[in-house]
Amino acid sequence: MAGLTGWHLLVLVLVILLLFGAAKLPALAKSMGQSARLFKGEMKAMKEDDGKAEQASADVANTTPASDKGAPAPRSDSGTTT
């Protein structure tokens, strides 16, 4: 298959016009544009959330003293019972 040529695209546009009608095409295009804009906005928000989460984890890692990294947590149990 060589791909779509100018004639293929013209036939495709004519079929779409016959199926949906000329009156519904602007509403269809508007709906598709709004959906694409909404999707793009959500993707941008997800990337910002990921960046904030990575920054927060980097901040936590930077505030932990180096001597505590990998060391076991001290036990609060001194062996005496009350």
Side-chain angles (χ1 to χ4, degrees):
M1 294 189 139
L4 294 177
T5 63
W7 287 107
H8 290 117
L9 292 175
L10 181 65
V11 170
L12 185 63
V13 168
L14 288 174
V15 169
I16 290 173
L17 272 172
L18 288 173
L19 288 175
F20 293 105
K24 292 186 180 182
L25 285 180
L28 180 65
K30 180 181 176 184
S31 175
M32 288 179 62
Q34 288 175 343
S35 298
R37 211 171 307 121
L38 180 65
F39 181 75
K40 186 177 178 181
E42 290 295 324
M43 291 298 292
K44 183 178 178 182
M46 286 176 60
K47 287 181 182 178
E48 288 174 358
D49 288 345
D50 287 345
K52 289 178 185 176
E54 287 177 6
Q55 181 65 32
S57 65
D59 290 343
V60 169
N62 289 338
T63 58
T64 305
S67 61
D68 288 346
K69 289 183 180 177
R75 295 186 61 173
S76 62
D77 183 19
S78 61
T80 59
T81 57
T82 55

